[in-house]
Amino acid sequence: MGTAMIILFGVFIRYDHESDAHWVEHRKHLNLTDIENDFYFRYPSFQDVHVMIFVGFGFLMTFLKRYSFGGVGFNFLIAAFGLQWALLMQGWFHSLDYTDGKIKIGIENLINADFCVAGCLIAYGALLGKVSPVQLMVLTLFGITLFAVEEFIILSVIHARDAGGSMVIHTFGAYYGLSISWMLYRPNLHQSSRLQGSVYHSDVFAMIGTLFLWMFWPSFNSAICDHGDGQHRAAINTYLCLASTVLTAVAISSLFQKHGKLDMVHIQNSTLAGGVAAGTAAEFMLMPYGSLIVGFCCGVISTLGYIFLTPFMEKHLKIQDTCGIHNLHAMPGVIGGIVGAVTAASASVEVYGHEGLVNTFDFEGKFKDMVPTTQGGHQAAGLCVALCFGIGGGIIVGAILRLPIWGDPADDNCFDDETYWESVAISAHRNF
Amino acid sequence: MGTAMIILFGVFIRYDHESDAHWVEHRKHLNLTDIENDFYFRYPSFQDVHVMIFVGFGFLMTFLKRYSFGGVGFNFLIAAFGLQWALLMQGWFHSLDYTDGKIKIGIENLINADFCVAGCLIAYGALLGKVSPVQLMVLTLFGITLFAVEEFIILSVIHARDAGGSMVIHTFGAYYGLSISWMLYRPNLHQSSRLQGSVYHSDVFAMIGTLFLWMFWPSFNSAICDHGDGQHRAAINTYLCLASTVLTAVAISSLFQKHGKLDMVHIQNSTLAGGVAAGTAAEFMLMPYGSLIVGFCCGVISTLGYIFLTPFMEKHLKIQDTCGIHNLHAMPGVIGGIVGAVTAASASVEVYGHEGLVNTFDFEGKFKDMVPTTQGGHQAAGLCVALCFGIGGGIIVGAILRLPIWGDPADDNCFDDETYWESVAISAHRNF
Amino acid sequence: MGTAMIILFGVFIRYDHESDAHWVEHRKHLNLTDIENDFYFRYPSFQDVHVMIFVGFGFLMTFLKRYSFGGVGFNFLIAAFGLQWALLMQGWFHSLDYTDGKIKIGIENLINADFCVAGCLIAYGALLGKVSPVQLMVLTLFGITLFAVEEFIILSVIHARDAGGSMVIHTFGAYYGLSISWMLYRPNLHQSSRLQGSVYHSDVFAMIGTLFLWMFWPSFNSAICDHGDGQHRAAINTYLCLASTVLTAVAISSLFQKHGKLDMVHIQNSTLAGGVAAGTAAEFMLMPYGSLIVGFCCGVISTLGYIFLTPFMEKHLKIQDTCGIHNLHAMPGVIGGIVGAVTAASASVEVYGHEGLVNTFDFEGKFKDMVPTTQGGHQAAGLCVALCFGIGGGIIVGAILRLPIWGDPADDNCFDDETYWESVAISAHRNF
């Protein structure tokens, strides 16, 4: 696989003009400062997103008492493989230089590859502990490919805006994972139920993931916005949305537990739902109080989802969702898509100014005659595309993963690192 | 509470000109590049400070053997609530647009909100394990409000300089927390003494907090400095001060322990005292060796504080200080204020240059006739204000928190996550 | 020691022109924006490198079941001491202002000090658990000094290029540590063998270190590159090299274990080898596929090193290498040096453009007549110097450390935090 990747990169991938030594030749023609700046403009956001992908997702998935290696380790593997594949797949759609048929990559491609990988890591959340590393590679291979096509259709063909990927990343990724989980339903999973919980310190490890996701989410939603006001706004909206979600997640968690106690699962997960829902509308004029409202609703819905919906889905819909991605990514993602459509449809020249409107919704080129109401419709269409790709793709890939050739764990070996990790430390840990 | 916040934000909070889509209209009048740059100039510092607030403070407080959930979880809750309240409170003083009566927020407000929250999190350190989440919300509500008033008086009325908040944040926050702790004195706290220590891995978790605080402290002290030399200097001074503190904290810890062994409590906490003390004078011409001297002294004082003062205060002054914030924030904060006053008073045109002096101490507008010696006096006055607000505010809020309506834990339920967290993992952990 | 440092800093160290308040005086002569920008251009990279040094190296070394305090704590101590000493040592070579005999420090010096410290922390990896804190201070004192001299010879005298320090940092640091370990060979180390492994959660802690090193390595290799294309390229090359290494490390780990299971040691360490090897050639036109090839090879070699070479070295060469730095730093460092020499020697005007060539290899001043082939020779010479300094310096310092005055632990007290840390938590942990 590594060899295949080297050959593909050898044939297709080159540096873009900002990374190529040749650009110095043209410095009289280019604006030197802009190119130098661009590194620093994009790079810190890139690193924040990078931390979310590897430490955020990775540690959030360490919560199981004996699947922490698998949580952080396979997350690492998926991400490292997915990044390379995403550079190729997204590159063909977005960065192909038609003069020489090569894909020209730069820092922005690295951010987009991280976004692409995020979709597969979300899907992994539904399957955590129940699939083999080989299955995960297959899931990633197809997931990245589907993502690249779906992203191209939503952003370029339909011209929906989705800065933080509520639709493109979260809705797609979550339904992709849930559909696969449905296809791989294990009726006897209760045989591993003794391992399907956390221990004290694994919950603290998971909080590392939660906090790095929570803190850097404003960078995630603003990373590929236009420089200037859109990026400011995306960061502020996401920040407020997340802050609001924490309060309602805590309140709902406490309300529905015995003796008003808090549940660590809700603190680890539901507090993040606001970031998902703020994705699409982050760069719009959602207004600070609008962000708080979105966060408020997501905190409520996501926490209630963990309390009522996840058990219901497992029992009646045959969907086993280890991390509860339906509550953290699927529902908030759909909410985010709807909020985006409504906010876009109700945009007006009074609120945005004429140039601000054109700028925010990119009413340029062949879309220069669009108006906010049509944009709202396009946003809704984008959401549908994400849902279709997620569910349809998940069913197909799930069918492939059901083939008995991938070495998936037996029902009583799920959620157990011993299946895939060689370590005396694991045996020593048995007494937990 | 969430609803109240939405209404308040709806009435008062709007985007500032850099985050509003309208600004594009005015791009001919504004310097476009400056606005684009400003995001990137402030944003990485903002994220560093953000990491300190959530991961730094949060994980530093996970050290107790069975209160790690409460440490990192309630820290998260306080911070998420405090940020929203701080945007309102600080906004009224600093970002009110008198033309329309709205508070206009941008990235700099987010940094200041993080600073404001830091004061309350410091106070939480003294009370860790002994108060209920509801008490923490009350503490935060009043703490943020007091902070905003105190900050306005010190920085704007008295015209003291305090880039890293030795006085405004650390002195205020620490005495606020210590006074509340004094008001909430529990004579029978020894009933929980079996839980008032660490286990091996909880100490390692706490080191995550220590290191993120230590590393990003230069960003904290330089985040709201003027661009240019002041910001460079603040980062360098803080960095040197912290490096020096580590060496003396280790030396003193080893000197005063049996067999020259090191105490993890000192490594986790005293190594940070230099960052606190460098806060006020960070942007002054403290000189590299001056920073080392300040760090040297703080390392000594803070470590000795943990060895001698904390037990003394608990026994004789009825102040139970769980995290030892008196040694980490209160004493170094006061030292920082004094160092700031002395450095300011001894500033001269030879060292700063004429413009450098005006620039560093902001001798402009109605303060254009000030000289360094008067500035030194104003710095000292600022320190007194911080102390008064901290102690006075803490006593009043402490009195409120003594009301028997807040659901605080019984003496034998302190330092125990089982009181407020629902989790089988906690019971499983009992055998620690 | 703290006092000596204060005196040395007092005599030698001053702010550079960007950090000194005087610069405002000269703002008409200087480009104001450049100076303001410079902070933001270098500072985020500085913080990423800083995180690697303290959290990355620190947590990577927490993997031992009962030496996590020593891993992260002594790493902290070495780094804090080393940074100060490095500012002095490197300053004499690079930042001495001949007009007044003072060393002028700024943000770039802080990055270089972090690099310098990295060399000593790598060396610590070979000695983890077997030396006293005092020995570590001695190791650091000499290590920093040797580093500064070696770096000056390689970069300034020989004019080799080494942006990410494959030779200067990794090769030197690793052979320095391995030689010391050879000098301090303990034939009876098996008496501590019960502690020379990990427990479940200590392995998860180590993954924090791995991930922060992995994610921020592109910042490490690009931190001191020229602004512009070189920095873009260094980040992209390192990123691709690391992604490729993960895949081969996982594949080789699985191939050589019983039942195709993965070994956590390889995931923690070998996945990073690509970053080491990409160090020298990172800013060259290595091409994306070239980066993948380098990463591929390093993943194979490093993982095989852990499986076969480390046991062989311990048994037959009397080199006890706790963390396996030979596989993570020494071999990949040498590979990086060779890749750098070959890439430099084969550079051409077609690939780089004329100005790009001059710019990338700094063919300016007294080196303006150099051509790529000679540059390749100089790169090879640089690698030899790094090896000589590492091995020679290590043997000398190892001889000093063998003196029976440093309080090193007995053979049956190695890898045990109880030797140097006072904590009830440690005793409680004994039952692991």
Side-chain angles (χ1 to χ4, degrees):
Chain A
M1 197 168 61
T3 324
M5 206 67 92
I6 290 170
I7 294 167
L8 287 167
F9 269 61
V11 176
F12 290 112
I13 306 264
R14 293 292 178 275
Y15 301 118
D16 72 358
H17 69 280
E18 294 183 357
S19 329
D20 195 288
H22 271 108
W23 81 267
V24 194
E25 305 284 292
H26 307 294
R27 72 167 99 189
K28 294 114 208 169
H29 313 298
L30 293 162
N31 184 334
L32 176 67
T33 316
D34 276 3
I35 289 175
E36 289 185 334
N37 281 356
D38 209 52
F39 183 81
Y40 291 95
F41 280 180
R42 293 294 181 208
Y43 193 77
S45 296
F46 158 63
Q47 278 295 5
D48 287 353
V49 173
H50 219 42
V51 171
M52 292 175 72
I53 297 298
F54 288 88
V55 169
F57 281 103
F59 273 85
L60 188 59
M61 291 199 266
T62 58
F63 73 98
L64 288 170
K65 70 177 77 166
R66 217 194 299 161
Y67 207 73
S68 299
F69 288 8
V72 67
F74 293 153
N75 181 84
F76 190 19
L77 177 60
I78 294 173
F81 167 60
L83 289 174
Q84 299 174 49
W85 190 238
L87 286 175
L88 280 164
M89 288 294 128
Q90 294 184 310
W92 275 318
F93 286 113
H94 296 297
S95 308
L96 197 60
D97 182 341
Y98 292 100
T99 59
D100 60 359
K102 306 290 186 195
I103 298 164
K104 301 292 172 68
I105 61 167
I107 300 295
E108 200 161 336
N109 296 66
L110 306 188
I111 301 177
N112 279 314
D114 272 337
F115 280 0
C116 194
V117 160
C120 292
L121 297 178
I122 291 165
Y124 178 37
L127 305 166
L128 185 70
K130 299 175 298 186
V131 287
S132 72
V134 181
Q135 284 179 307
L136 289 173
M137 301 305 269
V138 175
L139 173 149
T140 308
L141 189 78
F142 287 106
I144 299 285
T145 314
L146 287 163
F147 184 100
V149 177
E150 166 237 30
E151 185 192 34
F152 178 73
I153 294 175
I154 295 177
L155 300 187
S156 302
V157 178
I158 297 184
H159 192 260
R161 305 285 292 168
D162 198 9
S166 294
M167 306 182 286
V168 171
I169 301 169
H170 297 285
T171 304
F172 165 75
Y175 284 103
Y176 180 61
L178 291 168
S179 305
I180 295 176
S181 186
W182 180 69
M183 292 296 289
L184 301 180
Y185 179 67
R186 291 168 176 268
N188 299 315
L189 192 62
H190 57 82
Q191 294 178 6
S192 293
S193 65
R194 75 194 183 289
L195 295 176
Q196 211 182 344
S198 60
V199 289
Y200 196 71
H201 282 161
S202 71
D203 268 335
V204 183
F205 277 121
M207 279 303 290
I208 298 175
T210 300
L211 289 177
F212 275 103
L213 286 171
W214 196 92
M215 294 181 304
F216 289 162
W217 216 297
S219 304
F220 191 91
N221 285 353
S222 69
I224 53 163
C225 288
D226 285 337
H227 296 319
D229 64 306
Q231 197 152 22
H232 282 238
R233 213 155 50 231
I236 295 171
N237 285 336
T238 309
Y239 175 96
L240 291 174
C241 204
L242 284 163
S244 174
T245 308
V246 174
L247 298 189
T248 40
V250 168
I252 299 293
S253 178
S254 172
L255 264 176
F256 283 82
Q257 298 289 320
K258 275 173 297 188
H259 314 108
K261 292 184 181 184
L262 297 171
D263 190 324
M264 204 61 183
V265 172
H266 308 153
I267 307 301
Q268 282 161 7
N269 294 283
S270 298
T271 51
L272 297 167
V276 174
T280 301
E283 60 177 339
F284 303 161
M285 291 289 283
L286 186 57
M287 306 312 288
Y289 63 87
S291 307
L292 292 188
I293 293 172
V294 173
F296 185 94
C297 298
C298 283
V300 174
I301 290 168
S302 177
T303 314
L304 292 179
Y306 276 98
I307 299 173
F308 299 112
L309 220 54
T310 302
F312 175 85
M313 283 168 61
E314 177 154 2
K315 203 164 168 190
H316 298 289
L317 304 182
K318 296 180 190 294
I319 299 177
Q320 291 155 332
D321 178 6
T322 314
C323 295
I325 61 166
H326 187 259
N327 313 306
L328 172 47
H329 296 283
M331 290 192 298
V334 172
I335 292 172
I338 295 168
V339 169
V342 173
T343 319
S346 59
S348 66
V349 175
E350 289 86 69
V351 176
Y352 288 77
H354 181 68
E355 283 195 65
L357 200 62
V358 169
N359 218 41
T360 304
F361 294 102
D362 196 23
F363 291 157
E364 282 168 349
K366 63 175 181 173
F367 298 100
K368 72 174 189 297
D369 297 327
M370 276 183 81
V371 292
T373 42
T374 27
Q375 179 66 34
H378 287 221
Q379 296 289 134
L383 182 57
C384 295
V385 172
L387 280 166
C388 293
F389 264 83
I391 296 172
I395 290 174
I396 295 165
V397 175
I400 296 169
L401 293 178
R402 284 179 73 170
L403 300 176
I405 55 173
W406 307 115
D408 52 332
D411 285 343
D412 58 345
N413 277 332
C414 287
F415 313 118
D416 193 344
D417 273 333
E418 266 200 87
T419 318
Y420 298 113
W421 297 86
E422 182 69 52
S423 172
V424 286
I426 297 179
S427 320
H429 189 62
R430 274 233 171 258
N431 57 356
F432 263 104
Chain B
M1 197 169 61
T3 325
M5 205 66 92
I6 290 171
I7 294 167
L8 286 168
F9 268 62
V11 177
F12 289 111
I13 305 264
R14 293 292 177 276
Y15 301 119
D16 72 357
H17 69 279
E18 294 182 357
S19 329
D20 195 288
H22 270 108
W23 81 266
V24 194
E25 307 283 292
H26 308 294
R27 72 167 100 188
K28 294 114 208 169
H29 313 298
L30 293 162
N31 184 335
L32 176 67
T33 318
D34 276 4
I35 289 175
E36 290 185 333
N37 282 355
D38 208 52
F39 183 81
Y40 292 94
F41 280 180
R42 293 292 182 209
Y43 193 78
S45 296
F46 158 63
Q47 278 295 5
D48 288 353
V49 173
H50 218 42
V51 170
M52 292 175 73
I53 297 298
F54 288 88
V55 169
F57 281 103
F59 273 85
L60 188 59
M61 290 199 269
T62 58
F63 73 98
L64 287 170
K65 68 176 80 165
R66 219 196 297 162
Y67 207 74
S68 299
F69 288 8
V72 67
F74 294 152
N75 182 83
F76 191 16
L77 177 61
I78 294 173
F81 167 61
L83 288 175
Q84 299 175 49
W85 191 239
L87 286 175
L88 281 164
M89 288 296 129
Q90 293 184 310
W92 275 317
F93 286 113
H94 295 298
S95 308
L96 197 59
D97 181 340
Y98 292 101
T99 58
D100 60 359
K102 307 291 185 192
I103 298 164
K104 303 291 172 70
I105 60 168
I107 301 295
E108 201 162 336
N109 296 66
L110 306 188
I111 300 177
N112 279 315
D114 272 337
F115 280 0
C116 194
V117 160
C120 292
L121 297 179
I122 292 166
Y124 178 38
L127 306 166
L128 185 71
K130 299 176 298 187
V131 286
S132 72
V134 181
Q135 284 179 309
L136 288 173
M137 300 305 269
V138 175
L139 173 149
T140 307
L141 189 78
F142 287 106
I144 299 284
T145 314
L146 287 163
F147 183 99
V149 178
E150 166 237 31
E151 184 192 34
F152 178 74
I153 295 175
I154 295 177
L155 301 187
S156 302
V157 179
I158 297 183
H159 193 261
R161 306 287 291 169
D162 198 9
S166 294
M167 307 183 284
V168 171
I169 300 169
H170 296 285
T171 304
F172 165 75
Y175 284 102
Y176 180 61
L178 292 167
S179 305
I180 294 176
S181 185
W182 180 68
M183 290 297 289
L184 300 180
Y185 179 68
R186 289 167 178 269
N188 298 316
L189 192 61
H190 56 83
Q191 293 177 6
S192 294
S193 65
R194 77 195 181 288
L195 294 176
Q196 211 181 345
S198 59
V199 289
Y200 196 71
H201 283 160
S202 70
D203 267 335
V204 183
F205 278 120
M207 278 303 291
I208 298 174
T210 300
L211 289 177
F212 276 103
L213 287 171
W214 196 92
M215 295 182 303
F216 289 161
W217 216 298
S219 304
F220 191 91
N221 285 353
S222 69
I224 53 163
C225 288
D226 284 336
H227 296 319
D229 65 305
Q231 197 152 22
H232 283 239
R233 214 155 50 230
I236 294 170
N237 285 336
T238 309
Y239 175 96
L240 291 174
C241 204
L242 283 163
S244 175
T245 308
V246 174
L247 297 189
T248 41
V250 168
I252 299 293
S253 178
S254 170
L255 264 176
F256 282 84
Q257 299 288 320
K258 276 173 297 188
H259 315 107
K261 291 184 181 186
L262 297 172
D263 190 325
M264 205 61 183
V265 172
H266 308 154
I267 307 301
Q268 283 162 7
N269 294 282
S270 298
T271 51
L272 298 168
V276 175
T280 301
E283 60 176 337
F284 302 162
M285 292 288 284
L286 186 57
M287 306 313 288
Y289 63 88
S291 307
L292 291 187
I293 294 171
V294 173
F296 185 94
C297 298
C298 283
V300 174
I301 290 169
S302 177
T303 314
L304 292 178
Y306 276 98
I307 298 172
F308 299 112
L309 219 54
T310 302
F312 175 85
M313 282 170 61
E314 177 154 1
K315 203 166 169 189
H316 299 289
L317 304 183
K318 297 180 191 296
I319 298 176
Q320 291 155 331
D321 178 7
T322 315
C323 295
I325 62 166
H326 187 258
N327 314 306
L328 172 48
H329 297 283
M331 290 192 298
V334 172
I335 292 172
I338 295 168
V339 169
V342 172
T343 318
S346 60
S348 66
V349 175
E350 290 86 68
V351 176
Y352 288 75
H354 181 67
E355 283 195 64
L357 199 62
V358 169
N359 218 41
T360 304
F361 294 103
D362 197 23
F363 290 157
E364 281 167 349
K366 64 175 182 173
F367 298 102
K368 72 174 189 295
D369 296 327
M370 277 183 79
V371 291
T373 41
T374 26
Q375 179 66 33
H378 286 221
Q379 295 288 134
L383 182 58
C384 297
V385 172
L387 280 166
C388 293
F389 264 82
I391 296 171
I395 290 173
I396 294 166
V397 175
I400 295 169
L401 292 179
R402 284 180 73 170
L403 300 176
I405 56 173
W406 307 114
D408 52 331
D411 285 343
D412 58 345
N413 277 332
C414 286
F415 313 118
D416 193 344
D417 273 333
E418 267 201 87
T419 319
Y420 298 114
W421 297 85
E422 182 68 52
S423 172
V424 285
I426 297 179
S427 321
H429 189 64
R430 274 231 170 258
N431 58 355
F432 264 104
Chain C
M1 196 170 61
T3 325
M5 206 66 92
I6 290 170
I7 295 167
L8 286 167
F9 268 62
V11 176
F12 289 111
I13 306 263
R14 294 292 178 275
Y15 301 118
D16 72 358
H17 69 280
E18 294 183 357
S19 330
D20 195 287
H22 270 108
W23 81 267
V24 195
E25 307 282 293
H26 307 295
R27 73 166 100 186
K28 293 114 207 169
H29 313 299
L30 293 162
N31 184 334
L32 176 66
T33 316
D34 276 3
I35 288 175
E36 290 186 332
N37 281 355
D38 209 52
F39 183 80
Y40 291 94
F41 279 179
R42 293 292 183 210
Y43 192 78
S45 296
F46 158 62
Q47 278 294 6
D48 287 353
V49 173
H50 219 42
V51 171
M52 292 175 73
I53 297 297
F54 288 88
V55 169
F57 281 104
F59 273 86
L60 189 58
M61 290 200 268
T62 58
F63 73 98
L64 288 170
K65 68 178 77 168
R66 218 193 298 161
Y67 207 74
S68 300
F69 288 8
V72 66
F74 294 152
N75 182 83
F76 191 18
L77 177 61
I78 293 172
F81 167 61
L83 288 175
Q84 299 175 49
W85 190 238
L87 286 175
L88 280 164
M89 288 296 129
Q90 293 185 310
W92 275 317
F93 286 113
H94 296 297
S95 310
L96 197 61
D97 180 343
Y98 291 102
T99 59
D100 62 359
K102 307 291 186 193
I103 298 163
K104 302 291 172 70
I105 61 168
I107 300 295
E108 202 162 333
N109 296 67
L110 306 188
I111 300 177
N112 278 314
D114 271 337
F115 280 179
C116 194
V117 160
C120 292
L121 297 178
I122 291 165
Y124 178 38
L127 306 166
L128 186 71
K130 299 175 298 186
V131 287
S132 72
V134 180
Q135 284 179 307
L136 289 173
M137 301 304 269
V138 175
L139 173 149
T140 308
L141 188 78
F142 287 106
I144 299 285
T145 314
L146 286 163
F147 184 101
V149 177
E150 167 237 30
E151 184 193 34
F152 178 74
I153 294 174
I154 295 176
L155 301 186
S156 303
V157 178
I158 297 184
H159 192 261
R161 305 286 291 168
D162 198 8
S166 295
M167 307 181 286
V168 171
I169 300 169
H170 297 286
T171 304
F172 165 75
Y175 284 102
Y176 180 60
L178 291 167
S179 305
I180 294 176
S181 185
W182 180 68
M183 291 297 288
L184 300 181
Y185 179 68
R186 290 167 177 269
N188 299 315
L189 192 61
H190 57 82
Q191 293 177 5
S192 294
S193 65
R194 76 195 182 288
L195 294 175
Q196 211 181 343
S198 59
V199 288
Y200 196 72
H201 283 161
S202 70
D203 267 335
V204 183
F205 277 121
M207 278 304 290
I208 298 175
T210 300
L211 289 178
F212 275 103
L213 287 171
W214 196 91
M215 294 181 304
F216 289 162
W217 216 298
S219 304
F220 191 90
N221 285 353
S222 70
I224 53 163
C225 289
D226 285 335
H227 296 320
D229 65 306
Q231 197 151 22
H232 282 239
R233 215 156 49 232
I236 294 170
N237 285 336
T238 309
Y239 174 97
L240 292 173
C241 204
L242 285 163
S244 175
T245 308
V246 174
L247 298 189
T248 41
V250 168
I252 299 294
S253 179
S254 171
L255 265 176
F256 283 83
Q257 298 288 321
K258 274 172 299 185
H259 314 106
K261 292 184 180 185
L262 297 172
D263 190 324
M264 205 61 184
V265 172
H266 308 154
I267 308 301
Q268 283 161 7
N269 294 281
S270 298
T271 51
L272 298 167
V276 174
T280 301
E283 60 177 338
F284 303 162
M285 292 287 284
L286 185 56
M287 305 313 288
Y289 63 88
S291 306
L292 291 188
I293 294 171
V294 173
F296 184 95
C297 299
C298 283
V300 174
I301 290 169
S302 178
T303 313
L304 292 179
Y306 276 98
I307 299 173
F308 299 112
L309 219 54
T310 302
F312 175 86
M313 283 169 61
E314 176 153 2
K315 203 164 168 189
H316 298 288
L317 303 183
K318 296 181 189 293
I319 298 177
Q320 291 153 331
D321 178 6
T322 315
C323 296
I325 61 166
H326 188 258
N327 314 306
L328 171 48
H329 297 282
M331 291 193 297
V334 172
I335 292 171
I338 295 167
V339 169
V342 172
T343 319
S346 60
S348 66
V349 175
E350 289 86 68
V351 176
Y352 288 76
H354 181 70
E355 282 196 65
L357 199 62
V358 169
N359 217 41
T360 304
F361 295 102
D362 197 23
F363 290 157
E364 282 168 349
K366 64 175 180 173
F367 298 102
K368 71 174 189 296
D369 297 327
M370 276 182 82
V371 291
T373 42
T374 26
Q375 179 67 32
H378 287 223
Q379 295 290 133
L383 181 58
C384 296
V385 172
L387 279 166
C388 294
F389 264 82
I391 296 171
I395 290 174
I396 296 165
V397 175
I400 295 169
L401 293 179
R402 284 180 72 171
L403 299 175
I405 55 173
W406 307 113
D408 52 333
D411 285 343
D412 57 345
N413 278 331
C414 286
F415 313 117
D416 193 346
D417 274 333
E418 266 201 89
T419 319
Y420 299 113
W421 297 86
E422 182 69 51
S423 171
V424 284
I426 296 179
S427 320
H429 189 64
R430 273 229 172 262
N431 58 355
F432 264 104

